[in-house]
Amino acid sequence: MPRPGPRLRLVDVAERAGVSLATASRALAGREGVSEEVADRVRQVSRELGYVANPYARTLAGGASSTVGLIVHQIDDPYFSEIASGVIEVAAEEGLLVQIAHSGRDPENELRQLRHLIAQRVGIILIAGSGYDDQRMEAEARAELAAFQRAGGRVAVIGRHALGVDAVLPDNEAGGRAIGTHLLDLGHRRIAVAAGTPGLTTVADRLAGVAAALAEHGLSLDALPVVHSDFTRDGGRVAAERILREHPESTAVIALNDAMATGVLSALRAHRVRVPDRVSVVGFDDVSVAADLAPSLTTVRLPMTQMGRMALALALQPRATRPRRRSTGHTLIVRDSTGPAPAGRP
C-alpha cells in the first residue's frame, strides 16, 4: 500500500484510481478531457492517500512536465521518423507535447540527451534505437532511468534489452532469419552483408538471425564477407563499394536496414550492376519509400508507427512490478530487388 505524504507519487494515485498517469494529472490539474466522475474519483483517491506533488510527478499537464522526451538515433532516418509519428499520434490524443532529441548512435551523446531531458523535468522519456554492447554506458543509462522512475517519471524504450524498463522489442533475429532464408531458397550462396555500425545490439541480433538461416543450410556466417559501415544510406554505399571491389563474386547483398539498402542500390546502379539479374539486394524495416525504390526493395516489415504508439501507451499505463515486454512481429515483403541466383554463379 502506498504511504501518504511527500514520498507518494502521482503514479500511485493513478494506479489506485484505475486510470492512466496522464488522466490523473489532468484530473488533478482541472483540465478538460476527463469526465467529472473520473476527476472526482481521482481527487478523492488523492485526498485519501494524502498525495503531495513532487517536481516530476506534479501534473503532467503543467509546464514542461507535460512533455514526452523522445530520443532517437537518427532523425532523418525514415525508421525513426515513422516511430516518432506514432509517438506524436498518441501524445496528441493524451494532450501531451513531444520533444525529440537526436543521439547520432553515440552512447555518450545519448546519455547527455537523457540527462538533459531529466533536467527539463519532462514527465515521460522514450528511447528508440539499438542498445550498445558497451555495458558501462548501458549501466549508466539504466541508473539514470531508474532514478527518474523513482521520482515519478515514466519510461519506455524501443529496441533496448538491458535498461530494465518497459520495452517494445522489434523482431530483429527472426527477421534476419527470414531474409537469409529467402535468399538461400533462391539459390544464393555467395552472399555479402552490409552490416552497419559494430557495437549495436540491433546489428548483432539481425546478424544472428542470418547466421541461423545459414546454419539450417549447412553454412556459416564466418564464411561470408560482413562489411561494417555506418547504419545509414552513405554507409550502405561505402559497404557496397567495398563488396564490389573485394568480393565481386557476390550474387546477393543483405543490408541490415533499409537506409543501407538504399545506398547499396545506389552504388550498384552507379556501377551498372543489374538488380536482381546480377545481384539481389534485401533490406530490413520496410520504410515508407522501400516500395518506391527502383527496383522496389525486398525487406522485412516492422510496424514502426505502431511501435511508437505502443511505447508511449506502455509509459502511460500504471507502472508494473516488472518491466513489460511487447514483441512487434515481422513480415517478409518480397519485391523486385531479389531473384534467383545467376545461372552458374550460386
Side-chain angles (χ1 to χ4, degrees), residues 85-297:
S85 71
V87 172
I88 291 168
E89 287 174 6
V90 175
E93 294 164 7
E94 296 292 335
L96 302 172
L97 301 175
V98 179
Q99 177 180 339
I100 301 177
H102 169 104
S103 71
R105 296 187 177 88
D106 178 346
E108 293 279 1
N109 188 38
E110 179 180 278
L111 195 58
R112 286 193 296 272
Q113 297 290 345
L114 174 59
R115 288 168 174 160
H116 175 73
L117 289 174
I118 292 172
Q120 294 295 311
R121 294 183 176 176
V122 299
I124 296 171
I125 291 176
L126 306 177
I127 303 176
S130 175
Y132 305 98
D133 62 10
D134 184 335
Q135 296 302 309
R136 178 184 62 84
M137 295 304 303
E138 292 285 79
E140 289 188 47
R142 182 176 179 133
E144 293 283 357
L145 292 173
F148 177 69
Q149 287 187 309
R150 286 194 298 271
R154 301 306 304 275
V155 178
V157 297
I158 299 172
R160 303 296 284 265
H161 304 72
L163 294 181
V165 297
D166 291 347
V168 176
L169 298 178
D171 216 353
N172 286 323
E173 186 167 343
R177 190 173 194 151
I179 54 178
T181 298
H182 173 65
L183 290 176
L184 291 163
D185 287 347
L186 288 170
H188 293 277
R189 295 298 182 270
R190 299 177 184 272
I191 301 170
V193 183
T197 311
L200 297 177
T201 56
T202 293
V203 170
D205 291 345
R206 294 179 180 183
L207 278 175
V210 173
L214 290 165
E216 289 179 351
H217 288 72
L219 303 171
S220 171
L221 184 64
D222 293 338
L224 270 58
V226 177
V227 179
H228 289 281
S229 186
D230 290 342
F231 221 16
T232 63
R233 184 177 186 275
D234 287 343
R237 186 185 297 109
V238 169
E241 292 283 353
R242 181 174 165 189
I243 290 166
L244 288 171
R245 184 172 61 253
E246 299 178 9
H247 307 282
E249 73 283 0
S250 300
T251 66
V253 177
I254 295 174
L256 293 187
N257 72 5
D258 286 352
M260 292 196 81
T262 302
V264 170
L265 288 173
S266 176
L268 293 176
R269 184 165 54 250
H271 286 272
R272 299 184 179 181
V273 175
R274 297 188 308 278
V275 177
D277 297 342
R278 168 64 180 82
V279 175
S280 288
V281 178
V282 296
F284 203 118
D285 295 331
D286 196 29
V287 299
S288 57
V289 300
D292 300 323
L293 297 172
S296 58
L297 182 64

Side-chain angles (χ1 to χ4, degrees), residues 24-56:
S25 71
R26 289 198 298 270
L28 293 180
R31 291 189 64 200
E32 295 180 356
V34 182
S35 71
E36 191 58 35
E37 179 184 357
V38 170
D40 285 342
R41 182 167 76 249
V42 172
R43 287 191 289 265
Q44 178 63 29
V45 168
S46 177
R47 287 192 294 269
E48 290 174 356
L49 296 179
Y51 170 71
V52 177
N54 66 38
Y56 292 112

